[in-house]
Amino acid sequence: MKVIHTLPLLVRFASQYQDIEMLNTCLSTLGKSPENTVVIYNQGILSEHDIRQLATQNGVTVDVIGDGLNVGIPQSRQAMFEYVWNKYPYVPYISEIHVDMAFPYNWYADLIEFLERTDEPMVCPGILTQNGSLEPDGVRGIDLNGLSTNLLLMLLRNFEKDEVVAGFVHPVIHKSEVLKAVGGYDTGFLIGKQGFEDDSLLLSYLYYMGIRTGWRPKCLLKSRVYHAYMAQRLTLENIQGELQRNVSGLFQQYGAYGFKHLNQLHSDKEFFQSMYEQVKAAWQNSSGG
């Protein structure tokens, strides 16, 4: 076994039919590939028995942790990482997947081959979103109306190209040993249920690789995955409050220069540069500079 997949699962009572439909699509497409062992962190209304039954029906091997409480993304992801490190210590790769995804056959193979021949700590595929956007390419306006899952996966093949570009999307495949070396998600700082956890991990990788290397996250466009994107997150309670808790934790963890470096990692995100300037100005004012 080369890769273990990790999936935080939130099935909500008010939208359980839509959530289970997404889950079935995710697992059934993943189950068609040979590497289909998934660690699921249960954060919703389904029982462990229900999850195992759905996994079996869809051809997926599953380990279930969590007790049905929504502990959020950073905490559930970190718990799954630690579970993998303990139970599957010799598996070299860990993926982060979401319930609103659909996977072509062997979608991970080229990504793993890329990691095997480079010193990169992680890599992403390109994605196609429910709005018809290719990311990180920035292509818009692809018509997905009326496409079945099978046709959607066939369409993804048309956009594959043997090219590596700077960018970051989900799903992600990590080198397990490097992910463990940087610690994964530090839930002592990331106390909100969602938001900025990816940025925290990207900074960890940047400092692991060394600032002098100019490292940036990369997407291998030879692999493409469908990711509806934000299919659940936007409906969760107190989104802004949870985001603020994590951006505050991000500052406590990495300081003002962390924001500056994030702006370099995400050249299209002026948010972090703005945060850096605000923190610097506040510090100068407080010190009489």
Side-chain angles (χ1 to χ4, degrees):
M1 188 165 17
K2 282 195 170 184
V3 61
I4 299 288
H5 309 288
T6 61
L7 173 64
L9 178 60
L10 176 63
V11 174
R12 304 157 293 179
F13 181 79
S15 57
Q16 56 185 299
Y17 299 110
Q18 298 94 312
D19 289 348
I20 291 174
E21 183 178 9
M22 283 195 299
L23 176 60
N24 276 319
T25 298
C26 173
L27 295 182
S28 66
T29 56
L30 189 67
K32 290 179 172 62
S33 295
E35 299 275 4
N36 58 39
T37 298
V38 189
V39 176
I40 289 180
Y41 193 105
N42 182 20
Q43 302 192 90
I45 64 172
L46 295 183
S47 68
E48 180 175 335
H49 173 76
D50 292 335
I51 295 171
R52 291 187 180 280
Q53 188 172 40
L54 285 171
T56 299
Q57 291 171 357
N58 286 302
V60 168
T61 301
V62 67
D63 291 8
V64 182
I65 63 175
D67 55 9
L69 295 178
N70 181 11
V71 299
I73 298 296
Q75 188 170 325
S76 62
R77 288 286 190 196
Q78 185 64 19
M80 288 186 286
F81 293 162
E82 293 176 3
Y83 180 89
V84 171
W85 293 330
N86 288 327
K87 184 171 181 180
Y88 302 100
Y90 301 111
V91 174
Y93 301 101
I94 297 176
S95 85
E96 296 185 76
I97 65 174
H98 293 268
V99 71
D100 58 344
M101 292 178 175
F103 302 94
Y105 180 76
N106 272 3
W107 65 277
Y108 49 78
D110 287 314
L111 300 173
I112 289 175
E113 190 275 334
F114 173 80
L115 291 175
E116 288 177 337
R117 62 181 169 81
T118 69
D119 65 350
E120 292 293 325
M122 51 148 278
V123 69
C124 313
I127 63 169
L128 175 62
T129 73
Q130 63 182 339
N131 297 322
S133 299
L134 283 178
E135 302 297 344
D137 316 54
V139 176
R140 305 285 185 269
I142 299 169
D143 186 7
L144 305 181
N145 289 332
L147 288 184
S148 66
T149 299
N150 286 337
L151 288 176
L152 179 62
L153 297 182
M154 291 175 62
L155 178 64
L156 287 173
R157 297 293 187 190
N158 294 334
F159 299 115
E160 293 175 358
K161 50 186 176 181
D162 194 2
E163 184 177 335
V164 179
V165 298
F168 178 81
V169 298
H170 272 267
V172 187
I173 295 185
H174 303 274
K175 287 179 177 174
S176 181
E177 63 178 358
V178 181
L179 182 63
K180 187 175 183 180
V182 301
Y185 298 117
D186 193 329
T187 56
F189 292 105
L190 300 168
I191 60 175
K193 289 185 177 179
Q194 61 176 324
F196 300 100
E197 63 273 0
D198 295 328
D199 299 295
S200 173
L201 189 52
L202 290 179
L203 277 179
S204 294
Y205 280 143
L206 172 64
Y207 299 149
Y208 175 89
M209 299 295 288
I211 295 173
R212 66 182 178 81
T213 66
W215 179 83
R216 292 184 66 186
K218 297 173 179 64
C219 294
L220 176 64
L221 303 185
K222 200 173 180 181
S223 173
R224 295 280 189 179
V225 168
Y226 175 74
H227 186 183
Y229 190 67
M230 294 293 188
Q232 287 185 317
R233 284 198 182 198
L234 294 179
T235 66
L236 300 180
E237 294 180 3
N238 193 27
I239 294 175
Q240 291 304 316
E242 300 296 336
L243 291 173
Q244 187 57 50
R245 295 174 79 190
N246 277 355
V247 78
S248 297
L250 190 63
F251 173 71
Q252 292 172 16
Q253 186 177 13
Y254 291 109
Y257 265 76
F259 289 136
K260 185 175 184 178
H261 292 146
L262 279 170
N263 189 66
Q264 296 165 2
L265 289 175
H266 301 295
S267 58
D268 60 335
K269 290 189 178 181
E270 296 301 323
F271 169 81
F272 294 110
Q273 180 65 25
S274 173
M275 292 293 292
Y276 168 69
E277 296 293 345
Q278 290 177 44
V279 170
K280 184 170 69 171
W283 172 257
Q284 289 173 337
N285 290 336
S286 67
S287 62

